[in-house]
Amino acid sequence: QKEVEQNSGPLSVPEGAIASLNCTYSDRGSQSFFWYRQYSGKSPELIMSIYSNGDKEDGRFTAQLNKASQYVSLLIRDSQPSDSATYLCAVVYYGGSQGNLIFGKGTKLSVKP
Amino acid sequence: DTGVSQDPRHKITKRGQNVTFRCDPISEHNRLYWYRQTLGQGPEFLTYFQNEAQLEKSRLLSDRFSAERPKGSFSTLEIQRTEQGDSAMYLCASSLASAGLYEQYFGPGTRLTVT
C-alpha cells in the first residue's frame, strides 16, 4: 500500500513567519513530488513540483526533497493571511502506474495577522 | 490560456438516479485524470486516459462508474444508480506527458450530493 503521510494540523503561524510543512512517503520507487494548495471549497492548485534531491525555490516557496529519508517539505517565507489553506503533498509512483497522483490528507495552515 | 473546465459545478440527485459529469482539459494536454475527494481527505485517483485510451482504473471505480474520452478531447464520467456514499467532489485534471514530467492541473470540480 503506497502511502503519503502529512500532519493534519492545523498549523498556526503569525504573519511574516516561515511556515514549514512536511510529508513522508512509503515507496522508494517514486520520482515526482508535488505540493498543491487548496482553499476551502475549491479545487487543488499546483504550487510546486520537485524531481531531484535538494531545494527548489519559487518566490516565497521552497520545496525540499530528501529521497534517502523519503521526505519532502514545503517552506513558505513571509507567510501571509492569504496563504491560509490546506496544503496537499502528492507523489507519483512509477512502475505500473502512469502518473496518477497519490495524495496525503493535507495540512491545514492558518496564518494569523 | 483556458484551464481545465468541468460541468456542472454542483449536482444534487436522488439515490438511484444516474448522473454524468463533463471535463474539458487544457487543449494541448494528452492525459486526463479523474479523482474523487471527500471532506478531510486528499483526492483519490479513479481513472486516467492517454488520448482516447483509458489506461488505468482504480479499484475505487466500481462497475457503476464509467468514463469515456471520445476522440481524445473532453471526457465524461457517469455514475449509475447513485448511492449516498457517492457524495463527493469529483475532480478532473490534465497533463502533458513529456520527458517524465507529470504536473497535473485541476479543474474546479463537480460537487455531487446524493440525497
Side-chain angles (χ1 to χ4, degrees):
Chain A
Q1 181 86 10
K2 297 177 174 62
E3 294 182 341
V4 176
E5 299 287 341
Q6 297 181 254
N7 290 326
S8 60
L11 173 66
S12 184
V13 299
E15 184 175 356
I18 296 175
S20 178
L21 304 162
N22 304 316
C23 171
T24 59
Y25 57 96
S26 63
D27 195 309
R28 291 185 179 274
S30 53
Q31 295 188 26
S32 301
F33 307 86
F34 305 91
W35 284 99
Y36 285 83
R37 177 175 63 197
Q38 187 171 30
Y39 293 113
S40 180
K42 303 296 185 182
S43 62
E45 174 193 7
L46 179 65
I47 54 172
M48 288 290 285
S49 59
I50 186 165
Y51 300 94
S52 56
N53 278 330
D55 295 359
K56 179 182 177 182
E57 186 174 319
D58 184 1
R60 295 187 295 112
F61 298 100
T62 299
Q64 299 174 317
L65 175 61
N66 183 326
K67 288 187 177 180
S69 300
Q70 296 175 233
Y71 177 91
V72 59
S73 65
L74 179 70
L75 300 178
I76 306 175
R77 290 182 301 281
D78 188 25
S79 296
Q80 301 297 310
S82 58
D83 295 326
S84 298
T86 296
Y87 289 81
L88 296 163
C89 174
V91 175
V92 170
Y93 290 95
Y94 299 152
S97 82
Q98 293 294 322
N100 55 287
L101 296 166
I102 307 295
F103 283 88
K105 292 184 178 181
T107 298
K108 188 171 184 178
L109 173 66
S110 177
V111 181
K112 303 294 186 183
Chain B
D1 177 32
T2 56
V4 179
S5 62
Q6 292 186 245
D7 185 71
R9 297 289 299 276
H10 303 273
K11 179 72 176 178
I12 299 174
T13 191
K14 292 185 178 180
R15 185 163 49 98
Q17 298 294 305
N18 299 343
V19 294
T20 300
F21 309 141
R22 176 179 170 127
C23 170
D24 287 87
I26 294 170
S27 58
E28 65 269 26
H29 285 184
N30 57 351
R31 290 190 174 180
L32 186 148
Y33 302 80
W34 285 98
Y35 293 83
R36 179 173 68 187
Q37 186 177 26
T38 54
L39 197 63
Q41 303 294 318
E44 295 175 296
F45 169 75
L46 293 178
T47 188
Y48 113 93
F49 294 83
Q50 177 152 327
N51 300 314
E52 66 275 11
Q54 187 174 17
L55 295 185
E56 189 171 353
K57 293 193 290 188
S58 162
R59 287 172 294 177
L60 292 175
L61 210 67
S62 76
D63 56 7
R64 295 185 298 107
F65 289 70
S66 62
E68 294 182 339
R69 193 183 181 196
K71 303 178 182 177
S73 55
F74 71 92
S75 175
T76 59
L77 177 69
E78 181 183 17
I79 309 174
Q80 296 182 327
R81 304 180 306 278
T82 52
E83 302 173 356
Q84 287 187 321
D86 297 331
S87 295
M89 174 81 89
Y90 289 83
L91 295 161
C92 175
S94 70
S95 72
L96 179 63
S98 173
L101 303 180
Y102 292 97
E103 297 184 349
Q104 295 182 25
Y105 298 90
F106 283 85
T110 295
R111 184 169 297 282
L112 173 66
T113 303
V114 181
T115 61

